[in-house]
Amino acid sequence: MFLHILKASKDRCFWARFSLALRLDLSFIKELSLTKWLYSHMVIHVVMKAPQFTSKPAVITTPNHTEIRIERSFDAPREAVFRAYTDPKLLIHWMGPRKYKMTIEQMDVRPGGQWHFTHIDTDGTKYGFHGEFREIVRPERIVQTWNFEGMPGESLQTALFQEHNGRTTVKSIVKFERKEHRDGMLASNMESGLNEGYDRLDEVLRTLH
């Protein structure tokens, strides 16, 4: 999900060109292979390139030097929200930007189970992602690893589901190997990408009521 903060180059500062892993246009990855490493650590429920609307923006905090925590509430019971995170038939409708097709090759939702999906660009370029589910506690918690195929680095991502009066709050915790990786993400204006994914999830949850 993250990358070292790069110094200014003859191209200009890397971050001046790069508009963030979570709201980035995947076409930019084709130009800068290094950004693939950044994209590889993306949180499973965090996505890219958002329209400029969100009625309930996510709350982002940094409790220590190697974590980002994200909190967002949904107008749905946690059983429904948990299902949207773990049912491949629902996941394809909110994981990732609207203009990319998503295919799910594997999703074995159990401790030790493997997951694998692909985003397909409009020109046919494919971006593969895979990892392992470390913990599944229905409908309370998901812990999993995340990798972008062909690139180094792995993040550990946890989603906690808490319900109150019919509304569910999802608290997401992303742990990085290095502070620089976390700081790189924070410097890249990640909020808009997060909020598009959650807005799309709102749409999916309305169909489950």
Side-chain angles (χ1 to χ4, degrees):
M1 188 170 181
F2 313 119
L3 185 66
H4 296 282
I5 298 178
L6 304 181
K7 295 181 179 179
S9 67
K10 62 182 179 182
D11 253 36
R12 315 181 257 208
C13 175
F14 175 85
W15 292 109
R17 295 186 62 210
F18 186 59
S19 32
L20 158 162
L22 298 183
R23 58 188 286 264
L24 86 108
D25 187 337
L26 283 179
S27 62
F28 183 66
I29 290 180
K30 302 170 196 169
E31 301 175 18
L32 241 160
S33 61
L34 189 57
T35 64
K36 292 183 178 181
W37 188 61
L38 170 62
Y39 187 57
S40 74
H41 294 73
M42 187 178 301
V43 187
I44 192 167
H45 50 276
V46 170
V47 287
M48 307 154 285
K49 190 101 177 177
Q52 299 304 311
F53 65 88
T54 45
S55 58
K56 298 174 289 185
V59 176
I60 302 168
T61 59
T62 53
N64 56 54
H65 294 309
T66 57
E67 289 185 5
I68 293 178
R69 297 192 180 188
I70 305 153
E71 184 172 321
R72 171 64 144 79
S73 294
F74 301 91
D75 292 317
R78 69 175 179 173
E79 287 81 1
V81 181
F82 192 94
R83 179 185 168 196
Y85 273 74
T86 55
D87 183 340
K89 293 180 181 179
L90 299 177
L91 190 66
I92 60 173
H93 294 296
W94 70 273
M95 171 57 67
R98 295 177 190 273
K99 72 175 184 176
Y100 296 106
K101 179 181 178 182
M102 179 179 177
T103 62
I104 297 179
E105 290 73 29
Q106 184 177 12
M107 196 158 180
D108 185 7
V109 185
R110 61 180 178 81
Q114 304 297 306
W115 64 268
H116 178 222
F117 70 77
T118 303
H119 278 143
I120 305 173
D121 201 344
T122 52
D123 66 358
T125 302
K126 297 182 178 181
Y127 305 92
F129 305 86
H130 71 271
E132 177 182 286
F133 291 106
R134 296 288 177 81
E135 296 182 41
I136 299 291
V137 182
R138 299 178 183 272
E140 299 177 5
R141 183 170 67 253
I142 301 170
V143 181
Q144 65 195 108
T145 61
W146 188 288
N147 298 273
F148 184 11
E149 293 173 1
M151 292 294 159
E154 180 176 82
S155 65
L156 182 67
Q157 304 164 12
T158 301
L160 304 174
F161 303 78
Q162 300 175 343
E163 182 177 348
H164 181 68
N165 291 335
R167 287 175 55 82
T168 299
T169 298
V170 180
K171 296 181 179 180
S172 302
I173 303 166
V174 185
K175 294 187 177 182
F176 308 95
E177 296 175 350
R178 300 175 62 175
K179 180 178 182 294
E180 299 96 302
H181 303 168
R182 189 210 63 174
D183 290 348
M185 176 56 69
L186 293 173
S188 60
N189 187 28
M190 62 185 281
E191 290 87 348
S192 60
L194 286 168
N195 286 314
E196 184 199 10
Y198 292 139
D199 287 344
R200 295 187 68 196
L201 179 52
D202 279 330
E203 297 169 10
V204 170
L205 292 170
R206 282 194 289 270
T207 70
L208 302 180
H209 283 249

